[in-house]
Amino acid sequence: MKAIRRFTVRPVLPAPLQPLSDLARNLRWSWHTETRELFEAVDPASWRAADGDPVGLLGSVSAARLAELAGDSSFLDRLTAAAADLDTYLRGDRWYQQRDAEGAELPAAVGYFSPEFGVTAALPQYSGGLGILAGDHLKAASDLGVPLIGVGLLYRHGYFRQSLSRDGWQQEQYPVLDPNELPLTLLREEDGTPVQVVLSLPGRRSLRAGVWLAQVGRVPLLMLDSDVEENGPGERDVTDRLYGGGSEHRLLQEMLLGIGGVRAVRAYCRLTGHPAPEVFHTNEGHAGFLGLERIRELVDTGLGFEAALEAVRAGTVFTTHTPVPAGIDRFDRELVARHFGEDGELPGVAAERVLGLGMESYPGGEPNLFNMAVMGLRLAQRANGVSTLHGAVSREMFAGLWPGFDPEEVPITSVTNGVHAPTWVAPEIARLGEGPPDATLSPAVPDADLWDVRRLLREQLVTEVRKRLRASWLQRGAQAAELGWIDGVLDPDVLTIGFARRVPSYKRLTLMLRDRDRLTDLLLDPERPVQIVVAGKAHPADDGGKRLVRELVRFADDPRVRHRIVFLPDYGMGMARKLYPGCDVWLNNPLRPLEACGTSGMKAALNGCLNLSVLDGWWDEWFEPDFGWAIPTADGATTDENRRDELEANALYALIEDRVAPRFYDRGPDGLPERWIEMVRSTLVTLGPKVLAGRMVREYVERLYEPAAHAHRALDAATATELASWKYRTRTLWPYVSVDHVEAVSATGAGGTAELGSTLSLRVQAGLGELRPDDVEVQAVAGRVGPDDTLVDARTFPLKPSDGPDPEGRWVYEGPLALDRTGPYGYTVRVLPAHPLLATSADLGLVALPTEATGEGAGVLLR
């Protein structure tokens, strides 16, 4: 029988135990070992039954046990210490405050918008790496004292729970989440009524959302929930599932996240006195509409649209996470138009203005599609990818937005992702001792102690795998009597490889199955066996991904190998915290360069797990032989996909056979694998500090947030209006800008050669039309030249204007060009817009270049 109504009965804690409620409601417990151990001590059995969720624990523990704890002086001492520690953590000055005291021009606050947040398994609002990264960003910001306000949606079904059918096909379940049973607090007005944000929909409908608050250490996370009584059935379902529904459903989710999210931030700051954000960080294109709402706010004060756009761009940071166009949300033009303008949302902003920001109006773009990443880039003065390689891929992918510029000049930088060590480092590793700043290991830890801890973690993983595998088989319909074999699955003394992530095709879950006989030989090797733990979810609509899961599951079901390879369903944060520390090697074999970053290998590395990966994402950037192995790739444009998989799979098998397994099993007289332990130590001490979320957030502050705050403050209404007018005038007059003649007073010798260290004096005649020299910059661009005369590794040299135009109205620019490199060398010249408030010379996407008839040849050969 089902209940006709569901509600939550909250426990009444005895007065001495009241601090437990505060500790449970601040998600710092999710990365603070001592607080988690305190909650476990309340009732170990209930703690396990609640899957480590303090709110669930306190809702299930008996009144008798609470009364017993209220009289336990030892427990109360621990509770007092934990509460005092949290208070100190929340109030003390940290890195950000110290930097502020040193005079850095820091933003008063930053709004950080993301479609998903993976903070803890107790708040399941994430699907994969994007959400986990966002959660780690909040935690690291909290630890550093960065005044961030997180903004997301509260999905009543979260992401799906995964199970398997008897034949290995992925099954999805969507459990209902009651916000009252989660570590959340409803944001309320001063009179106690719930805060609501309201969006206008076509047909005079409204979309309303309540706002829930999750406290992530020092950082508030606002989560919008459309499941409120004032909404109709369709509107109540807008926040039903993460990444669910059709195009209109996704559009409404993203409008609520961006537009409603800004309104939620305004309400939160009004009610709490929190400083309003000066910088808004859009984590992927899903939240891009936040820029439109901020433009609407300024337009309502009387500012023109173009000036409002400039003011908003100045304080906006956009991070792209996808290296492929197919990973970007794109909507039909008419669908977007229907939801904006006078009959929809943002009535002060014409629908054509909205469309102009997101349409793919560049060569190769789809003319009728509204692209969320394109809008995000047009609304942000600063943008970045999430690894050095991904930054380069993004510059290529979005180069059409900046015509006339080489991809390397496209204004998209990179900040390589990081992971939050206190969340992901096993306590056993953390207890080995403090090392250098930001490292996870002291160099003084003996080899034997390090190896013992690594074996202990492997043993814990074996126990966890057997428990989860048994539960999975029972769910698949097996009987307990036929599962005795599970007691022999995995061995705590066998080399253990982990592979766990989402299952899109480019991550190649089944590459390891390419040669099944060879894989079987690796698993069953009598002297150097290997065991593999695999986990991952395919998107519910991705039947291709589900077929990959089934293929892997069926291989792992084979009685010959099932004790050496397992697939664990329902991969999530709870499983991951056991999986990363317990593996010896972390495998990653995507199609290069389609892995934007790939942070799972970072989490494994923080626990002394070595990486075995193609050179993609972060591994391309930081790989060293001391940290693991690079899988050779065959990613040339002419390589057939099938042939490529064959080559790379064979390279993977060879690495395991010839290098990985021998190093793990090569033991010294003391029984220790000395070379392996050296690699573990190097990974912890040297690689560990690089992969930290603290490093990442500091980079965001110094390289993006701080400049964005400076730019935001420089653009008051008058300045923004002046800049918008200048841009309009410059765009209008740019067709009349030209490079008319280039000549050189040459250091060139006979045969077109020149001496290294000599100087070439350039003289350029440029037509500026009605623009003035202050409106432009004339540059020489020089570097080595390839066979097709393309400049390689080019540098720019500014040229200075003469006192006035010549009789024909052309301006003369002159300057030296230092010949500082040998070999084939060349130059060109160009004219760019210039204004003190432009972030980069490519900002407007305008450039004037010489024509073939402009002047002298530009190639020289340096000796």
Side-chain angles (χ1 to χ4, degrees), residues 818-840:
L819 305 180
D820 59 355
R821 280 171 281 186
T822 59
Y825 195 82
Y827 69 87
T828 187
V829 295
R830 65 184 181 182
V831 185
L832 303 169
H835 191 285
L837 294 176
L838 293 184
T840 71

Side-chain angles (χ1 to χ4, degrees), residues 128-129 132 136 419-420 423-426 429 454 457-458 461 496-502 533 535 571-587 598-611:
I132 301 299
D136 282 7
V419 296
H420 186 244
T423 296
W424 301 108
V425 174
I429 292 286
R454 291 292 313 143
L457 294 172
R458 200 182 310 116
L461 175 61
T496 305
I497 298 175
F499 182 102
R501 50 191 42 85
R502 291 184 303 110
V533 182
Y571 179 50
M573 292 185 73
M575 181 192 298
R577 291 180 69 154
K578 291 289 187 182
L579 191 54
Y580 298 133
C583 290
D584 300 294
V585 173
W586 197 256
L587 175 61
T599 55
S600 62
M602 294 179 169
K603 298 164 194 145
L606 285 177
N607 290 281
C609 179
L610 308 182
N611 274 269

Side-chain angles (χ1 to χ4, degrees), residues 632-718:
T633 54
D635 47 337
T638 60
T639 306
D640 171 78
E641 181 178 332
N642 189 55
R643 175 64 173 159
R644 176 175 178 174
D645 283 353
E646 181 181 354
L647 291 171
E648 295 184 12
N650 286 333
L652 170 61
Y653 299 138
L655 275 172
I656 297 173
E657 291 167 345
D658 301 335
R659 298 175 62 185
V660 180
R663 184 158 296 187
F664 180 85
Y665 288 107
D666 183 14
R667 308 297 165 90
D670 54 4
L672 301 178
E674 295 178 3
R675 293 286 304 283
W676 188 276
I677 294 173
E678 285 177 9
M679 294 179 70
V680 171
R681 190 181 298 278
S682 293
T683 295
L684 291 171
V685 174
T686 306
L687 179 60
K690 297 180 181 181
V691 303
L692 294 181
R695 183 269 314 153
M696 172 189 71
V697 171
R698 285 193 295 268
E699 285 193 38
Y700 272 109
V701 169
E702 295 168 353
R703 295 175 48 203
L704 296 171
Y705 296 166
E706 189 173 343
H710 177 79
H712 164 78
R713 292 167 186 168
L715 281 186
D716 57 19

Side-chain angles (χ1 to χ4, degrees), residues 151-197:
V151 183
L153 301 180
L154 181 68
Y155 305 96
R156 284 301 178 100
H157 297 282
Y159 202 49
F160 70 91
R161 302 294 302 271
Q162 179 197 44
S163 60
L164 300 172
S165 69
R166 185 70 192 225
D167 72 344
W169 189 256
Q170 174 178 292
Q171 310 285 305
E172 297 98 26
Q173 300 84 36
Y174 291 88
V176 177
L177 302 174
D178 182 350
N180 294 291
E181 296 174 357
L182 299 174
L184 301 171
T185 303
L186 190 62
L187 187 64
R188 296 181 180 275
E189 298 285 356
E190 292 179 355
D191 62 3
T193 59
V195 168
Q196 282 194 353
V197 298

Side-chain angles (χ1 to χ4, degrees), residues 735-803:
Y736 303 100
V737 175
S738 60
V739 178
D740 295 332
H741 186 71
V742 180
E743 62 183 54
V745 178
S746 178
T748 309
T753 63
E755 298 288 345
L756 179 66
S758 58
T759 300
L760 198 65
S761 296
L762 294 182
R763 190 170 188 269
V764 177
Q765 291 177 327
L768 303 185
E770 295 183 32
L771 295 178
R772 303 291 297 172
D774 287 347
D775 296 321
V776 302
E777 180 179 359
V778 179
Q779 299 175 340
V781 184
R784 291 189 178 89
V785 290
D788 61 351
D789 288 337
T790 299
L791 292 171
V792 180
D793 193 20
R795 295 172 57 196
T796 59
F797 301 86
L799 304 178
K800 294 183 179 180
S802 58
D803 292 336

Side-chain angles (χ1 to χ4, degrees), residues 130-275:
L130 175 67
I132 301 299
L133 180 278
D136 282 7
H137 195 109
L138 298 193
K139 295 173 189 176
S142 174
D143 292 342
L144 294 169
V146 180
L148 223 63
I149 302 176
V151 183
L153 301 180
L154 181 68
Y155 305 96
R156 284 301 178 100
H157 297 282
Y159 202 49
F160 70 91
R161 302 294 302 271
Q162 179 197 44
S163 60
L164 300 172
S165 69
R166 185 70 192 225
D167 72 344
W169 189 256
Q170 174 178 292
Q171 310 285 305
E172 297 98 26
Q173 300 84 36
Y174 291 88
V176 177
L177 302 174
D178 182 350
N180 294 291
E181 296 174 357
L182 299 174
L184 301 171
T185 303
L186 190 62
L187 187 64
R188 296 181 180 275
E189 298 285 356
E190 292 179 355
D191 62 3
T193 59
V195 168
Q196 282 194 353
V197 298
V198 184
L199 271 65
S200 298
L201 301 181
R204 298 186 178 181
R205 295 178 297 136
S206 294
L207 170 61
R208 297 177 177 271
V211 182
W212 294 90
L213 170 65
Q215 195 65 40
V216 186
R218 299 163 69 112
V219 172
L221 170 58
L222 308 178
M223 310 182 80
L224 280 72
D225 174 17
S226 70
D227 190 10
V228 297
E229 292 183 0
E230 294 86 346
N231 279 334
E235 288 72 43
R236 292 187 75 156
D237 286 343
V238 166
T239 57
D240 58 349
R241 298 178 181 180
L242 178 58
Y243 302 142
S247 289
E248 184 165 21
H249 187 265
R250 290 288 290 274
L251 178 64
L252 291 176
Q253 284 190 340
E254 295 180 10
M255 289 175 62
L256 183 59
L257 173 61
I259 298 169
V262 172
R263 295 172 186 174
V265 167
R266 303 303 186 208
Y268 176 79
C269 293
R270 169 175 55 81
L271 291 167
T272 65
H274 193 290

